[in-house]
Amino acid sequence: MYKFVVKGTAFSSSDSKNVTVLEDSLFCISESGRISAIISPKEKEYEFIIQEYSQKNKLQELAQGQYILPGFIDLHIHAPQWAQAGTALDLPLYEWLNTYTFPLEAKFCDLQFAEKVYSDLVSQLIKNGTTTALYFATVHRKSSLRLAEICSEKGQRGLVGKVVMDDHEQNPNYYRDATTDIALNETELFIQEVLELNQKTPQGVYPVVTPRFIPSCTDDSLKGLGTLAAKYDIHIQSHCSESDWAHSFVQNRFGKNDAFALNDFGLLTEKSIMAHCGFLSDEDMTLFAEKGTAVAHCPISNTYFGNAVTPIAKLLNEYQVEIGLGSDISGGFSPSLFDNIRQAVISSRMLEDGVDKDCCSGKRGVSGSSITLNEAFYLATAGGGESLSLPIGKLAVDYAWDIQIIDSKELPIFSENEPLMEIFQKLLYLSRPEMITEVWIQGRKVHDKTMNLQGV
Ligand code: GUN
Ligand code: FE
């Protein structure tokens, strides 16, 4: 009845604050790669299923010290910027874009170069436990399509945007859409090509409408992109209220914040994911909640370009805005969502306490801002799934079997009966990518450290 069964101990968010431990459970996976049933040792069919599936050679039992986590969902990543990850972080956003990033992205008109960078990136992300990624590619349709094909081939669930930047004043001549019409036509063709590719991709690849950010787009392209997103009912992504510079640029141009300006163009929908959002006003947050638009929180990147810590606790608890976690390669240097989980907690605690010792303690920080490790884990998993409106990010019936298996033997665990929630915390704070022994996406093994298997 099931394609295979996995026996092991897993952790999964039950809500933004709580993590469920599924101890020694049986995960029964369907032909289509979804979880059909989760059976705990207390249930009467438990022993029977173990026997039946081990006889058929379709039972995988995790070794002692191995644990299952949901695969991570990277809600904001610039695929071409992988080529400069870890470098070029010495300038503020505007100078960084013009000095390093636009010249690099311009090189992706070369399909061979794109192939090399994108192939390596998708493999690295899978090894790091990222099973779904929401990508910005570049303005080039063909190499953006190549990224979607590479996700499809390597088994990763990819949501990919051909970037639109058509404003002649704001973008360099060597790197922009030639005209607004061309930007919109190429986007529509890209959407159709990726929808076609999705037909033969079990884990899913999705086209995403992608105005880079308001400063790079004309009013006409923003309007046209809103129309295209509605016509095809697809995801939308952009940058929103990131940095003092970008935030005030939009204020000067429209006399309103990014959120309301984007909404005027039909770009804030249930399927929109907006990166950063460091400067949202209370009204902006209400609008996000009303529209069902999600925030992609990129805590590492924000320490370089954000000019503020995004108030995640407020967005999550007070406004119930959907939120996930993004690496923002290469504004963030790390492809690992483990690193971003850690930074999300750290940044929130610094916002809570404040950082300037010369300020008295009562005024130094913003109380109520810190988030827990459980909440950061939620952002990287279930929160990302909800943001994308896809059945991913949780170990629950009808969710995709998108998981990573972590081997804890190199972690400082010295007691036979260490509480599982303590092990969970060690896994999140101390795991290194080499400890991820297997990664599965939609019921298919795409990484096996021992077999050196990478992207079947
Ligand atoms: N705003 C516009 N483009 C970018 C980008 O590539 N990275 C970041 N962090 N912010 C942006
Ligand atoms: Fe970004």
Side-chain angles (χ1 to χ4, degrees), residues 78 81 93 96-97 212-213 239 242 276 301 305 328:
H78 297 265
Q81 296 175 23
L93 180 62
W96 174 82
L97 286 171
R212 183 173 203 118
F213 63 160
H239 296 86
E242 178 197 20
H276 308 299
S301 169
F305 298 143
D328 195 24

Side-chain angles (χ1 to χ4, degrees), residues 270-387:
E270 225 284 303
K271 288 192 175 168
S272 301
I273 296 96
M274 294 294 151
H276 308 299
C277 299
F279 290 92
L280 295 193
S281 67
D282 289 357
E283 292 73 31
D284 297 340
M285 292 186 194
T286 305
L287 182 62
F288 265 59
E290 276 171 14
K291 293 286 170 185
T293 291
V295 170
H297 178 42
C298 307
I300 297 183
S301 169
N302 287 350
T303 62
Y304 293 93
F305 298 143
N307 303 134
V309 176
T310 306
I312 294 306
K314 182 170 175 177
L315 282 159
L316 204 53
N317 301 326
E318 236 178 274
Y319 287 88
Q320 276 94 45
V321 171
E322 292 176 353
I323 314 178
L325 211 53
S327 64
D328 195 24
I329 291 283
S330 66
F333 52 78
S334 173
S336 163
L337 283 196
F338 282 98
D339 288 339
N340 279 281
I341 285 172
R342 294 159 196 161
Q343 187 64 46
V345 175
I346 294 168
S347 293
S348 77
R349 296 186 73 108
M350 296 183 89
L351 181 60
E352 168 101 26
D353 282 351
V355 292
D356 183 356
K357 72 168 176 46
D358 291 332
C359 199
C360 74
S361 67
K363 290 197 178 152
R364 207 180 289 141
V366 183
S367 83
S369 293
S370 70
I371 62 167
T372 61
L373 189 61
N374 281 4
E375 286 172 310
F377 171 69
Y378 168 83
L379 300 183
T381 56
E386 281 166 24
S387 298

Side-chain angles (χ1 to χ4, degrees), residues 134-264:
L134 174 56
Y135 292 103
F136 276 57
T138 61
V139 298
H140 317 100
R141 175 176 53 82
K142 284 198 176 135
S143 65
S144 303
L145 179 63
R146 195 61 206 115
L147 173 59
E149 288 167 349
I150 288 167
C151 292
S152 173
E153 288 157 16
K154 288 184 184 279
Q156 193 190 44
R157 186 176 295 94
L159 298 97
V160 182
K162 172 225 149 349
V163 175
V164 169
M165 19 197 311
D166 67 318
D167 189 314
H168 285 214
E169 268 172 35
Q170 289 301 317
N171 302 299
N173 286 338
Y174 66 83
Y175 185 53
R176 59 170 165 75
D177 296 288
T179 66
T180 305
D181 280 349
I182 291 174
L184 295 174
N185 290 338
E186 290 286 282
T187 300
E188 184 156 17
L189 193 50
F190 176 76
I191 293 168
Q192 292 166 348
E193 287 170 333
V194 177
L195 288 174
E196 176 80 28
L197 178 64
N198 184 46
Q199 301 289 320
K200 47 179 186 186
T201 305
Q203 77 278 13
V205 283
Y206 304 84
V208 184
V209 161
T210 307
R212 183 173 203 118
F213 63 160
I214 287 176
S216 53
C217 294
T218 60
D219 288 14
D220 285 344
S221 74
L222 292 167
K223 187 157 170 260
L225 289 174
T227 306
L228 279 177
K231 177 172 173 189
Y232 290 93
D233 187 23
I234 55 175
H235 292 88
I236 301 168
Q237 61 181 344
S238 192
H239 296 86
C240 178
S241 294
E242 178 197 20
S243 82
D244 286 309
W245 167 74
H247 177 59
S248 48
F249 182 98
V250 175
Q251 264 294 338
N252 290 336
R253 176 161 150 197
F254 291 117
K256 51 182 90 169
N257 284 353
D258 288 52
F260 279 86
L262 289 162
N263 190 47
D264 288 345

